[in-house]
Amino acid sequence: MNTCCTEHARASAGLPAIEPGMPEPAGTGLSRRNFLLRSAGLGLAVYGAGKLAKLPAFETGVAHAQGAPQGTVLLNVFLDGGVDSLSVLAPVEDATYRRLRPRLALNDGRPFAEDPRLRWHPSVNALADLHAEGKVSVLPAVGYTGADQSHFTSRHFWEVGALDANLRTGWLGRVLDGVGAPDNPLQGVSLDGHLAPALATARNPVAAIAKPEEFGFWAPGAWGPADELAVPAFTQIGRSLQGSGDPAIAQAARAAAFAGTVRDALAPLGADGKPLYAPAAAYPQTADNFPKRLAGFAAMLAAGLPIRAASVRAPGTWDTHANQQETMPKNLQLTFDSLLAFQRDLEARGLADRVLTLVWSEFGRRAAENGSGTDHGAAGVGFLIGTRAAGRMIGEFPGVDKLDAGGNLRATSDFRGLYGALCGDWFGVDPAAVLPDARGLGKPVILK
C-alpha cells in the first residue's frame, strides 16, 4: 500500500516544483523574458515579454477573435494531486463499488439528478446546490486515452492542452496571446503569487498576485516618503525607456512600466495588507488563503480590471493514498463552500454572466481502495460553474463494472475537447490556433 508520493522536487524559477526527469512546466525556457519583482513574498511576474523561438506551427498562427462577448473571464481552479471522483460522485448502491471499497464506500448523499446511480458527497452540498440551479456542468469521467499516472506528466498535459511533454506555453497563455495585448499584464492573473503554467504566454505579459491588498514593492534602504516616491519614479523611467534600441534596457523598462501599471490598478483595493473592499457574499472563515483570494479576485473584477483569465490552486492536498476519510471531506467542504461564495459574490455584483469557473485535477483515483486511501487512477471528475454554463453532464459515468486494465475509470470525455469549446465559444478564438489536437476532437456544448 502506498502511503504518499515520495517524489523529490526541484523548483523552476517562479514555477511549481517538479520531479527530475518529468516534463518541464509551461513557462520554462523563457527565463530571459521573465521579470519577477518581489516584496515580502508577494510580487508581479511579467512574463512572455518577447517572442519565443521555435514555436510549433499552431502557436505561431494568429488566434483571431470570432465575436465572443468582450470581457469574458475564465477562472481555472486546480485540485492538486488527483481528486477521487468516486467519492465526489459515488455509485453508492453498486455492488461492485462496495466490493472495491469496503471501508471507503459512501453510504448516502444527495441524488445526482442527471444519473440516478450517483450521489453527491455530503461535503459538496454547495456544489450540489449550484447544480440544482442549473449552474454546473459535470464531467463525471474526464481525462484522455492512455492516461499517464505521474502527477507531473498528467498535470503538464492539462496545463498545455496537449499530450506533448515538450510544449512550453500554457493553453490559456496561447489564448491570451491571441485575444490579449502586449501592454496589459492583468489580462492573465495567477492568484497564488507565482506563475501558473496554464497561463504561460509566448508574447503577452501576465501577472502573479496573491491578494490585491498585499501587492507592493520594497525599495532597499528606503522607507517613508522616499519609499513612496521610489516606485512611481522607476515606473516613469521605465515608461520613458520602453522604446530604447538596447534590448536589455527595453526589457527592463517594460518590466518597470508593467509593475507600475499593476500597482496603480490595485491601489484602490487595499494597502499594507488591509483590503479596502468588502465581499458581496459570506466566504468561509478560515486560516487558508483560498477564500480570501477568491474574494479579492471578485473585487478586482468589480473594479473593472482588464482580466480575461486567472488561475488558483484549491486548498489542501488531493493525493489521498492514505487517511482519505479524514482529509478529503475537509478539503471538499472548504473548496466548494468557497466557490459557492465566489459565485454568489459575482451574482451580487452583476458580474456572473461574464465569468466561468473550471475545476479540474490531473487524474482520478483507482476504483479499488488500498486500505485507508486510493492510488493514482485515470479518468477523474471536473466541473464548469457559472450562470451561463449549460448545466448538463458532459460525457457520462462509465460505471465500475467496465474498468480499464489498471482498474481505473475509463474517460468518456476528453479535456482537450472541453478546452476547444472554451476557446471557441467562450473566448471567441479558433481552437485550432491554440490546441494542436483540436481538429481531431469534438466540442461539447458548454453554454446555455
Side-chain angles (χ1 to χ4, degrees), residues 2 4-5 7 81-82 148-151 319-321 362-367 370 374-378 406-408:
N2 294 326
C4 65
C5 286
E7 295 161 327
D148 190 301
Q149 294 179 27
S150 159
H151 290 295
D319 195 22
T320 51
H321 290 283
E362 66 263 42
F363 45 61
R365 315 297 296 186
R366 193 77 46 81
N370 63 27
T374 50
D375 297 325
H376 298 182
N408 305 309

Side-chain angles (χ1 to χ4, degrees), residues 100-188:
L100 292 169
R101 298 194 169 192
R103 298 184 185 180
L104 299 184
L106 266 67
N107 294 312
D108 201 3
R110 289 169 57 177
F112 177 54
E114 296 182 83
D115 189 330
R117 295 174 294 173
L118 301 175
R119 298 291 183 101
W120 292 101
H121 192 288
S123 296
V124 297
N125 282 334
L127 187 62
D129 287 344
L130 286 172
H131 181 262
E133 296 171 13
K135 297 171 184 174
V136 179
S137 293
V138 178
L139 297 94
V142 62
Y144 55 94
T145 302
D148 190 301
Q149 294 179 27
S150 159
H151 290 295
F152 304 111
T153 301
S154 192
R155 171 180 175 173
H156 176 79
F157 290 165
W158 277 80
E159 288 170 336
V160 302
L163 307 187
D164 184 347
N166 298 312
L167 197 49
R168 293 291 172 265
T169 51
W171 79 276
L172 281 171
R174 296 195 296 276
V175 169
L176 294 174
D177 276 336
V179 304
D183 58 353
N184 174 22
L186 284 170
Q187 56 210 335

Side-chain angles (χ1 to χ4, degrees), residues 14-314:
L15 293 162
I18 64 167
E19 178 185 279
M22 293 293 104
E24 298 280 1
T28 306
L30 294 186
S31 58
R32 293 182 182 178
R33 295 164 176 77
N34 287 350
F35 300 94
L36 191 60
L37 305 171
R38 293 189 177 276
S39 73
L42 279 299
L44 166 72
V46 180
Y47 178 83
K51 184 176 175 62
L52 175 64
K54 299 181 180 179
L55 285 172
F58 71 88
E59 287 186 52
T60 58
V62 177
H64 292 292
Q66 298 174 330
Q70 293 299 307
T72 51
V73 179
L74 182 70
L75 173 62
N76 182 62
V77 180
F78 175 43
L79 278 57
D80 189 355
V83 64
D84 179 29
S85 58
L86 288 174
S87 288
V88 179
L89 282 169
V92 297
E93 296 178 359
D94 189 294
T96 302
Y97 166 73
R98 307 203 72 80
R99 175 178 58 80
L100 292 169
R101 298 194 169 192
R103 298 184 185 180
L104 299 184
L106 266 67
N107 294 312
D108 201 3
R110 289 169 57 177
F112 177 54
E114 296 182 83
D115 189 330
R117 295 174 294 173
L118 301 175
R119 298 291 183 101
W120 292 101
H121 192 288
S123 296
V124 297
N125 282 334
L127 187 62
D129 287 344
L130 286 172
H131 181 262
E133 296 171 13
K135 297 171 184 174
V136 179
S137 293
V138 178
L139 297 94
V142 62
Y144 55 94
T145 302
D148 190 301
Q149 294 179 27
S150 159
H151 290 295
F152 304 111
T153 301
S154 192
R155 171 180 175 173
H156 176 79
F157 290 165
W158 277 80
E159 288 170 336
V160 302
L163 307 187
D164 184 347
N166 298 312
L167 197 49
R168 293 291 172 265
T169 51
W171 79 276
L172 281 171
R174 296 195 296 276
V175 169
L176 294 174
D177 276 336
V179 304
D183 58 353
N184 174 22
L186 284 170
Q187 56 210 335
V189 178
S190 294
L191 297 172
D192 296 310
H194 59 74
L195 178 67
L199 292 172
T201 57
R203 292 180 289 274
N204 291 333
V206 295
I209 303 162
K211 286 179 284 187
E213 64 268 24
E214 293 181 353
F215 183 84
F217 297 102
W218 172 63
W223 57 87
D227 183 37
E228 294 172 5
L229 292 171
V231 173
F234 279 115
T235 300
Q236 188 59 39
I237 293 171
R239 288 171 178 163
S240 68
L241 294 176
Q242 287 186 80
S244 171
D246 185 316
I249 292 176
Q251 293 278 30
R254 190 176 294 114
F258 287 163
T261 297
V262 174
R263 181 178 183 268
D264 292 345
L266 296 178
L269 297 177
D272 300 323
K274 298 178 181 179
L276 298 177
Y277 58 87
Y283 286 83
Q285 297 300 305
T286 172
D288 192 279
N289 281 320
F290 183 66
K292 299 180 181 68
R293 286 170 176 162
L294 294 179
F297 181 55
M300 292 166 69
L301 294 174
L305 302 187
I307 299 168
R308 298 302 304 275
S311 188
V312 66
R313 180 181 177 277

Side-chain angles (χ1 to χ4, degrees), residues 371-399:
S372 68
T374 50
D375 297 325
H376 298 182
V381 66
F383 306 99
L384 196 62
I385 303 170
T387 57
R388 293 186 58 205
R392 63 193 195 205
M393 192 161 50
I394 297 173
E396 62 182 359
F397 178 67

